[in-house]
Structures are given as C-alpha cells and as structure tokens.
Amino acid sequence: MHDARRSGGGVPAIGAGPRIGATDVPSMVPSPVPAVNPVARPAPRPLAFGARSSASLDPLPDRMPKQEDTPLMRQWREAKARHSDALVFFRVGDFYEMFYEDAEEGSRLLGLTLTSRNNGGAADVPLAGIPARARDDYLQRLVRLGRRVAVCEQVEDPADAKDIVRREVVETITPGATLADALLQERRNNWLVALAAGDGESALAAVDVSTGEFVGTRVPDFRLEAEIARFEPAEILLPRAMEGQGRFETTPTYRPDWLFDPELGADELRRHFSLHTLDGLGFQDGDDALIGALGALLAYVREVQPPCADILRRPRIERAGDAMALDEMTRRNLELVTPLRADAPPGAAATLIEVIDETVTAMGGRLLRRWLLRPLVAPEPLWDRQDAVAELVENATLRRALRAELKQVRDLERLSAKAGAGRVTPRELAALGLSLARIPPLLDTLADAQATLVTGLRDGMDPAADVRDLIGSALAEDPPALLADGGVIRTGFDAELDDLRATRDGARDFIASLQARERDRTGISSLKVGFNKVFGYYLEVTRTNLERVPPEYRRKQTLANAERYVTDELDEWEAKVLGAEDRIAALETRLFGELRRRVAAELPRLLETAAAIATLDVLAGLARLAERRDYVRPDVHTGFELEIRGGRHPVVETMMPREEFIPNDTALGHDARVMILTGPNMAGKSTLLRQVGLIQLLAQIGSFVPATAARIPVADRIFTRVGASDNLVRGQSTFMVEMSETASILHGATERSLVLLDEIGRGTATYDGVSIAWAVTEHLHERTGAKTVFATHYHELTQLADLLPALVNFNVAVKETGDDIVFLRRLEPGGADRSYGIQVGRLAGLPEPVVARAREILAELEGTHTMHGEGLGRRGARRPRSTAPPDQLSFFGAPAHPVVERLQKLEVERLTPLEALNLLAALKKDVEG
C-alpha cells in the first residue's frame, strides 16, 4: 500500500501511452497537490449570467462514438464543451493532457510530441501533454500567442475518490485575467478593458485582477483610442455587435450583446457588492452604458477567474475634466513609456518612465506609470503632490529614512490580492507578513512630516497588526515555496500538529538507530538504512556480505552490487512515519487554508494600506529624482503664460555628459503664443520641441522639472505631431497619416492646450505643403489660441510674424566654418534663412560628387528663384528655358507688380475725383501695355 502512495516518481514520459486505466482507478494515480487546494477552494457559485449550463454544451467533433468514451474522456468532453474557445489543460496525475484539436494545436504551438491515447475502444485519441511542474512556462507562451487556456484540475485526493477523481476547471487563463507572476510585468498593471457604445460616446470599464482595481469612465468617441491607450490593455472585451468595427492593437474577446445590458449590469453590481442601490458608487444620469460595461466585465471575470471576482474593489468612476487624455500620437512622440524605435539596441533609446522612475517598490512603479499616462488637470491635488515632493526634497533625512523602510516592503498589493483569491503560497504569505511588519517603523519615520498629502496618508494607514501577528504566529520562520513541501506551520501554533510531528520524528529517530543495532547484530559493518520515494525504507547489504543476512530479512530490490531488504519491524515503524506524515500533510493543508481565508477576509484593509504605501513611494521617488537630477519646483498656475528658463530634455540629458547639454529658455504667452522654430536638421529643433512637452507633462503629475525656473499653466491637452510614417494596415500613406494627425489636433485643441508640431506638409508637393502649413498656423493663431511651437524648414512661414501679432520667430543657431557647420544648440530670436541640408548630408556621408552637384543645383535654384529646375540640364549643362509659365507661382517671395507698388504708395484721401479717374485710366493702360 505504501508503494502505491509513493508512486509519483515513476511517471512515464510525455506521450508514452495511457498512464492510468480505463476507469481511472484512484489507488493507481499519483497524489499531486492540486493548484487550488481542496480545503481552500471557494464553494461553487451559481453560474453568472452569460455562463453556459451543462444543458447547452457546445457540440464537439466526434472522432469516435460517445458511448465508447471512458469516464475520464467524458470528464474532458464536459470541460471542453464549457470552454470551447480555450485550450483545456486536463490534469492527469503529474501531467496536463490535451486531446483532439487541442492536442494538435498545442503540439504545434509549443513544440510537443503529438501521440495518441487508446480510449478503451477501437479509436485512438490525439494526445499531447506537459509536466505539471512546468505549467506556468507553457501558459506564458500560449497567452503571449493570444490563446486562452482553461485549467482543469483534480480537486479531490485520489485516495479519497470513490470512483473517478473529480476534476473541475478552476480558472481560465487569458491575457487580461491572470495571477501568474510569469504572465505579469512587475511594474505595470495588467488591464482587462470592456467597451460599450453609448449616445455619441463610449463607456469604458477596466479591471486588474492582480491588484483588485476596478475603474469605469465615459469618453467621447473621438477620444476613445486615447483612453484605451492609457490603460495599455492586455485584453479587450467587446459586445458581438462591435465585431469588425474599429481596429485594436490588442486582440479583442467578443461576448453576447445582452451581457452588456445596463439592467443586467446593475443587478450584477448590486449582487456582487451586496448593495441595495448603486447610488453610493457615484453614478450619474446617462451612465447606463457604463453600468452595462462594468457589469459585463464583472461577469466575465467571474466566468474565467472565479476567485478573482471576490478581490475586486468597488468601481472607481473617473469623470472628464479630472485628468488629461493623452492620445497615441503624444505618448509615442514624447516616448513616455515606449521608445519610437522598438528595435533600438539597449542603451540606444530611453523612455521618460525609465529616466524618472526612482521608486523602490513594484506597486510604486505601477502607480507612477498610471500618473504619467493620466496627468492631472485639477490644480488642487496637483499642488498637494508638489508640496509633498518639496518637503521630501528639502528634508533629505526624512526622504532617506522613508525610502530605506519602503525598500523592505514587498509587492503588498499583489500579495494581498493573491491571498484574497486563495492563490497565495506559504512563502508569499510570509512575505506579506514581513511587509506589514515594516509599517510601524514607516509610520514612525513620518511622525514629523508636514505636507498635507503625506500626513493624510500617514494618518489613514492601517498597520493591520492583527493580520501581521496572525501570519507571524502561524507560519514557520522560513516556510517553503509550496504547501506540498511541508513544514509550513510554526511549532507551537497547533497542539495536534506538534504531537504528530513528535510521533513522526520519534519513528525517524528509531529507524535511524536501527542501522547501528543491525550492524552489531549481524556483524555487517557496511549495512545501512536508506529511503526512496518508490520503495520506502530499506536495509541495504552489499553482495560480499549476503551470506550474513538473517533469515527474517525479506528481499525488496536487487541492485548491481547490493540487495535491499525489509523486516516486519521496519515496516511497522515505516507505517508510523508515513501515517504521521499523511496526517501532518492533511492537517497543515487545513490550517494553511484557514489562515489564508482569515487573511483574505481583511483584504480591503490590506489594499488600502498598499495604495498608501505606493503613493508614498512615488512621492519619495520624485523627490529623489529632483535631488539627483537638479530639478526645480515649477510654479503651476491656472493662467496662460508658459515660461521655462534653462530648460533641459529629461531623457536626452541623461544620455550625454551633463556639461554637454545646452539648456534653453522658452516663453509663450498671450502676446507670443505661436513660435515658428527654424534651423537646420541636427540642430536640436525636435529636442527642444519635445523638451517643452515633457516639462509640461512632468509638472502636471506633480513632479519637479529639469530647468532653473519654470512657470507652467495647467494644460487640458498636449498635442504632438512629430515625424511621419505610413500606416499600410489602414491603407494610409505618409502624407495621409500626417494630415489625419494634424486634423485631430485642429479639432481637439483649445486655448488651454499645448501644441507641438514638427514639420507639417512635407509629404506632398512643396507649394501644397507650404500652403497647408501656412493655413494651419493661421488657424492655431486666430481660431484656436493654443500655445504652439512649430518647427519647420519652410522659411516662408517666418513672414507670418509680420501678419500675425502673437507669432514670433526663433531659430536654433549654427556657425559656418568653410564648408562645415557647427551646431550651437542655442535658441535665438529671429528666423533662419537656410536649412544647411547639403552640409548635413555631407556629414551623413553622401558621396562628394553628389554633394558638389547639389551645391550647383542649389545655386541655380536660388539664382532663378524657381522650384522647377528651369534651365538645369545634366551635370550643370544649361537647358533652354521654357517660355511656358510654371505650374505653381511663388506667392511668398515674388516681387510686387508695379501697379501694386503705385497703389501701396498712393494717398487716396488727397486725390480729387478728377485725379482719381485719370490715375485709374493710367493704371489700366499700364496693365494692358
């Protein structure tokens, strides 16, 4: 009997044929610890709305008659019918099996050997399997390939099963619904987003099951992509009616339309959060679609990850006007969280989040990322953040002590969520307790803090001393990673467990002493007592001593150089050891399950504490950033003027020696709200452009900024249009993308916006491009009124300074030395008259003949004042000049007509009627002549 219980070490290789009999005999099945312990597993719930009952199981391909199914295959069919859109990982002993189409797809995606299993009849079932211990590695690969996996576990001990071992799908792993560390990124949320269409707007609900965060918002349709991009979702849930509508970077998951019904959503929210009414959640008139999206998302989480539904906090409703929406253009062009060049080698490109993240906890890193992608527009909370950062900058002792305590706090947010979902391991629960133990000294550190935000966090933080003490008293000093490894519960916590351990240890001591006694009794000095998982305890005698073996020894196993034996006495003591170990394992499982449930009951307190610690970490990190990088506190105000003195690009300055970066001043106000920025390529126009945007953004998350002084108005939006690229997937050319982005800016910008443009109109014919750039600039100046920096090579636009009173010209200075130029990186008033493109081309390595020829052509074009190459032949040869007029006429630099010049000089008020008639006749004659 003991051998059967210890048979886990003799499992055949993957695909080696049937591993258990047709009836799944319990005594022949290894006894792995289920992924979800039976004691700790939540009680079965009624099916959430949208879940399918067994009466409506999806049909499956019949490669064999169902009447020939074994009990095990009938279990698999039922699990597959409920989860037809997922690969089913079906637990069989120490392996997860896949059958039929799942096996074929799994073997192809994971590189597994495809074999077959005899199903008790004439048919062979396609089969592929993976070791249970490697589950997370394979799940990670499948989820990254966009596949869903339903994990079907053995949920009872095979030794207790009366018939076939009971199995259930305990979770469905999807990109947006997972607690597995291997599938999560430590410093970013894993958002699952649901969308529902409203009247001219969309409702968006988002949840992170790894932290319990639950968010809802309404957004106008024209800003929907920006709002989705803010969450960077791993998965998007959509009603079936939206299939084929819109394009999403994330593969969508479709569900029936009725799941998004507002009434059903309201019922789901009330039932789940035990509410009589939804009034306390902050809903307003017109939130019907939002309620539907929240309810559908909650039902979906309950469907795929039932334990995770219990850890969700009440939804936080975000309203328009609370924060700035950053569109995809701005996030991309300012390189906030991802570099423009995704293929850039390490160190060749950096993002803003990489440069400013000085947090010391994972949850602080996630919060900073959320702040960066959702800057504040309400000034009061922004000023509170600034005050907190300022205190931690000025009080270096406080900052260092706070960060030292924070470094000892693990990811309390995700550890708490795992405990709430019943998925926390002994070692993770111990880490949670140790993190809670750091809260009292952390609070002592903050005792003298004065900033309103810091004191509010300090006074509202719950140390959860009862939870900390419970974990400390229950868990061993250094618990194992897995419950199955044993030794989880501390000695002294449970008297029954202590007695069992004493019995086991006494039996082990006796067996250990048996070796010395048997050596003396038999005279075999090399005799030894050993143990393995298959044969249990044994007495091993080498072949040279076999004649001394007593008759009561029973042969157990034959080796090349020895024989192994057992005795009745050894069997008796082995039974005591193994019996005690079985009871110890069962009791530890029960005690740990109870401990986990007691901790889970305190989840709301733990998550609130985790949120406070994360905020303190971000504030202390921003203070450390300011001190380390020499940032200053900006004067954030509700007016219009923007003034930056000695501004620096926060990312570029970290990639070059500090003394080599040239700071610049920037000022935009009512009298100078549009800046035309000219200068050669490589001079630093784009750097300056992004620099202004990043300083504005940093100011609006509450951070200090890279400058010597700054006055920053609160902006409602930051718009950027930098560079150009095709969007071939949508059938858009470079110029079409450019015009689409420009149109989005002109439609969305307001007087409170900051607009940063780098080259408008470069993707079409020169005169078309100049015309568009001219008109866009006029529109921003006259109609929008937004603060604008427009970097361009169209020097004709500098003439607008004579026509538009609030437009100013600036250029990035260079110095010519012969045929070379030196980039001074200094911003100066006035427009540039040249782009030095040929010199830049020469620096880039163009062949010298090409450079020389380009100079000849440039001289000719400048001399003839035309952009059509008139008179130019091959290699400088003159070509007869065409008498036909050019297709397009220059209307910016052409000399005025003589008639126009006479009219401009005319003093109309001094003309008599007769003089006016005579002048008109003369002008007509000049025109006709």
Side-chain angles (χ1 to χ4, degrees), residues 20-34 38 71-76 78 90-93 152-169:
I20 56 178
T23 57
D24 202 10
V25 179
S27 63
M28 297 298 294
V29 179
S31 304
V33 176
L72 181 140
M73 289 306 297
R74 285 197 292 271
Q75 274 190 342
W76 175 82
E78 182 175 350
F90 192 76
R91 185 69 175 260
V92 182
C152 189
E153 289 285 0
Q154 296 175 182
V155 292
E156 66 177 334
D157 192 322
D160 298 332
K162 296 180 180 179
D163 192 4
I164 186 172
V165 177
R166 185 162 57 90
R167 294 176 174 85
E168 293 178 1
V169 173

Side-chain angles (χ1 to χ4, degrees), residues 148 174-177 191-194 232-237 250-253 300:
R148 302 157 61 86
T174 76
W191 292 111
L192 166 62
V193 166
E232 304 173 288
E235 184 178 358
I236 298 181
L237 189 68
T250 304
T251 303
T253 298
Y300 180 71

